[in-house]
Amino acid sequence: MRNIFARFLLTAALLIFFATVATAEAVPWQIDPAHSAAQFAVRHMMVSTVRGAFSKVSGVVNYDEKNSANSSVEVTVDVSSVDTRVPQRDADLRSGRFFDVTKYPTMTFRSKRITPSGDGRFKMTGDLTIHGVTREVTFDVEGPTPAVKDPQGHLRRGASATTKINRKEFGIAYNAVLEGGGLVVGDEVAISIDVELVRPAAPAPGSNN
């Protein structure tokens, strides 16, 4: 019994060690809100496409350049920052008929798995929460770009991600019916997220910083 218990402890220690090694290469990059945005597009009256954006996007990307499976993404969007260039429409989107920002001020995404799909592209699956409803969605990701150094010495990368959702699956069901039987607002919404990632450059060898 003592030997069995000892082998169990050794196995547990090895599992913890290898799990630590597997995630040790993931480096945190902050999403720069000043250079990032989430855009959306939806059909209007079945004849045109209305586009808008959320300008306040924040979060962190833990990126493992050697093994993307070790990477993770967390994004938060301030829903009140919605902008379709029409103030009256923006106010309607913030109201209880659509996003209800007083009750649900943010939407979030947390990745669960990331897999390569070839030529600098990835499939990123995770939990998207909108209007208090969480659904699993998959984004097509392009990037991140190679790191560059900005004038302040910080490292920066860029990435973009796209997906499509049905807004009714997230509890945003309000609509009006046209005379011909169509709907004023389409159910399918195309989402694209463009982010700029930033982190301080590593101090030079021998530096006191």
Side-chain angles (χ1 to χ4, degrees), residues 77-80 99-107:
V77 176
D78 182 342
V79 183
S80 68
F99 289 114
D100 196 359
V101 299
T102 301
K103 191 173 183 179
Y104 308 106
T106 63
M107 62 177 72

Side-chain angles (χ1 to χ4, degrees), residues 116-178:
S117 58
D119 193 26
R121 298 174 183 271
F122 301 88
K123 296 286 186 181
M124 178 174 66
T125 300
D127 289 331
L128 177 65
T129 301
I130 302 175
H131 200 252
V133 178
T134 301
R135 300 277 185 182
E136 185 176 275
V137 302
T138 297
F139 281 86
D140 292 309
V141 181
E142 184 175 350
T145 64
V148 298
K149 187 177 292 187
D150 67 17
Q152 288 73 43
H154 303 311
L155 297 179
R156 292 182 179 268
R157 294 178 181 267
S160 61
T162 59
T163 192
K164 291 182 179 180
I165 64 169
N166 185 316
R167 64 187 179 90
K168 288 184 176 179
E169 293 180 351
F170 291 87
I172 304 177
Y174 174 81
N175 217 330
V177 181
L178 299 169

Side-chain angles (χ1 to χ4, degrees), residues 52-145:
F54 299 93
S55 59
K56 294 183 179 179
V57 179
S58 60
V60 63
V61 175
N62 293 297
Y63 179 53
D64 187 337
E65 194 164 3
K66 296 180 179 179
N67 184 359
S68 59
N70 289 338
S71 302
S72 63
V73 177
E74 290 192 12
V75 180
T76 298
V77 176
D78 182 342
V79 183
S80 68
S81 69
V82 64
D83 180 13
T84 64
R85 304 177 305 283
V86 179
Q88 184 176 353
R89 181 166 58 209
D90 296 343
D92 196 26
L93 289 173
R94 296 185 187 104
S95 75
R97 297 204 299 180
F98 289 96
F99 289 114
D100 196 359
V101 299
T102 301
K103 191 173 183 179
Y104 308 106
T106 63
M107 62 177 72
T108 61
F109 175 79
R110 291 180 173 83
S111 67
K112 296 161 73 173
R113 58 187 178 274
I114 299 174
T115 56
S117 58
D119 193 26
R121 298 174 183 271
F122 301 88
K123 296 286 186 181
M124 178 174 66
T125 300
D127 289 331
L128 177 65
T129 301
I130 302 175
H131 200 252
V133 178
T134 301
R135 300 277 185 182
E136 185 176 275
V137 302
T138 297
F139 281 86
D140 292 309
V141 181
E142 184 175 350
T145 64

Side-chain angles (χ1 to χ4, degrees), residues 12-47:
L14 288 173
L15 288 173
I16 293 172
F17 171 77
F18 285 118
T20 302
V21 171
T23 58
E25 297 298 326
V27 177
W29 293 74
Q30 296 296 321
I31 293 176
D32 180 0
H35 299 97
S36 304
Q39 298 88 26
F40 63 91
V42 62
R43 295 288 286 176
H44 177 248
M45 297 182 66
M46 302 174 66
V47 297

